[in-house]
């Protein structure tokens, strides 16, 4: 992500956060469940900027749960814009995006940020880069849909997401049942 002077990109889950503390993280985007207490892991980190958004990792509205919204994705893209605005103040940086497991919300957010910065890069290339960063990536389809609209990608991000899901189901067949058990069968169906 050279245009925003971020030389390292990391995606992880909560359990992996302590291991990241020694890696000179400069920026953190935390995507957490609304009822989760503040994380203590960041006390061990050096100085860094952190934005926290709270919503559940769901793709259909459910009573008592906070569904991802276009406003959440707008906040993620605002975070990306702020990275670009402050780029001249740093030579490099380390962006860490995390959610509970580092599989869905965080990978959707990172893909959105990469698509924002690399507007001319093909959607399939962006998903390939995402898999390099986080091989187990299964981005939240609702978030990708909002990013597609907000970044004016004309449905191409969503189409590439379907191909990404097909790739992931081939690479990790256990995802088919796991995602179905999590109420994400619609995403499995997107893979064709």
């Amino acid at each position: 992500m050279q245009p925003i002077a971020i030389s390292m990109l990391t995606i992880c889950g909560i359990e992996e956060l302590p291991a990241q503390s020694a890696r000179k993280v400069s920026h953190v985007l935390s995507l957490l469940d609304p009822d989760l207490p503040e994380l203590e892991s960041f006390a061990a980190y050096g100085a860094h900027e952190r934005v926290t958004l709270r919503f559940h990792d769901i793709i259909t509205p459910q009573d008592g749960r906070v569904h991802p919204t276009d406003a959440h994705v707008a906040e993620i893209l605002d975070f990306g814009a702020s990275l670009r605005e402050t780029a001249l103040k740093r030579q490099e940086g380390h962006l860490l995006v995390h959610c509970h497991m580092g599989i869905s919300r965080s990978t959707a957010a990172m893909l959105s940020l990469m698509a924002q910065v690399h507007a001319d890069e093909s959607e399939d290339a962006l998903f390939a880069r995402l898999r390099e960063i986080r091989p187990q990536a299964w981005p939240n389809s609702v978030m990708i849909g909002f990013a597609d609209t907000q970044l004016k990608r004309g449905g191409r991000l969503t189409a590439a997401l379907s191909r990404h899901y097909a790739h992931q189901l081939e690479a990790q067949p256990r995802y088919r049942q796991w995602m179905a058990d999590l109420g994400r069968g619609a995403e499995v169906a997107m893979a064709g």
Side-chain angles (χ1 to χ4, degrees), residues 78-142:
D78 286 348
F79 174 75
S82 74
L83 290 176
R84 182 175 289 160
E85 289 170 11
T86 60
L88 295 176
K89 297 177 186 172
R90 60 182 180 274
Q91 296 296 314
E92 59 183 2
H94 181 177
L95 171 61
L96 169 67
V97 180
H98 82 90
C99 59
H100 192 82
M101 294 183 67
I103 294 175
S104 182
R105 288 171 288 186
S106 56
T107 60
M110 185 67 84
L111 191 281
S112 300
L113 293 169
M114 292 188 320
Q116 179 184 36
V117 171
H118 301 289
D120 295 333
E121 190 165 344
S122 82
E123 291 75 16
D124 289 314
L126 290 168
F127 278 101
R129 287 179 52 210
L130 180 68
R131 288 189 298 272
E132 289 174 11
I133 297 167
R134 191 71 170 172
Q136 62 268 50
W138 188 274
N140 181 295
S141 60
V142 172

Side-chain angles (χ1 to χ4, degrees), residues 20-190:
Q20 301 297 326
S21 65
R23 298 187 64 212
K24 296 183 180 177
V25 173
S26 60
H27 297 81
V28 176
L29 178 59
S30 295
L31 306 169
L32 301 171
D33 291 351
D35 54 349
L36 192 72
E38 184 57 36
L39 302 175
E40 296 177 11
S41 300
F42 293 108
Y45 281 51
H48 64 279
E49 295 177 31
R50 180 173 174 226
V51 170
T52 302
L53 301 177
R54 292 184 176 269
F55 56 92
H56 290 102
D57 185 25
I58 54 178
I59 61 170
T60 55
Q62 298 173 18
D63 287 341
R65 303 194 75 183
V66 179
H67 191 266
T69 66
D70 58 345
H72 291 125
V73 173
E75 288 184 71
I76 290 166
L77 296 175
D78 286 348
F79 174 75
S82 74
L83 290 176
R84 182 175 289 160
E85 289 170 11
T86 60
L88 295 176
K89 297 177 186 172
R90 60 182 180 274
Q91 296 296 314
E92 59 183 2
H94 181 177
L95 171 61
L96 169 67
V97 180
H98 82 90
C99 59
H100 192 82
M101 294 183 67
I103 294 175
S104 182
R105 288 171 288 186
S106 56
T107 60
M110 185 67 84
L111 191 281
S112 300
L113 293 169
M114 292 188 320
Q116 179 184 36
V117 171
H118 301 289
D120 295 333
E121 190 165 344
S122 82
E123 291 75 16
D124 289 314
L126 290 168
F127 278 101
R129 287 179 52 210
L130 180 68
R131 288 189 298 272
E132 289 174 11
I133 297 167
R134 191 71 170 172
Q136 62 268 50
W138 188 274
N140 181 295
S141 60
V142 172
M143 294 173 66
I144 295 296
F146 290 135
D148 197 326
T149 300
Q150 291 180 32
L151 295 171
K152 298 178 178 33
R153 290 269 180 157
R156 294 184 310 275
L157 271 182
T158 301
L161 176 64
S162 295
R163 294 186 292 276
H164 169 78
Y165 286 158
H167 177 277
Q168 293 301 75
L169 290 175
E170 186 175 318
Q172 304 191 47
R174 66 184 173 93
Y175 273 28
R176 183 174 303 277
Q177 187 61 49
W178 185 35
M179 290 301 157
D181 291 346
L182 291 172
R184 309 282 285 267
E187 292 175 338
V188 173
M190 285 175 68

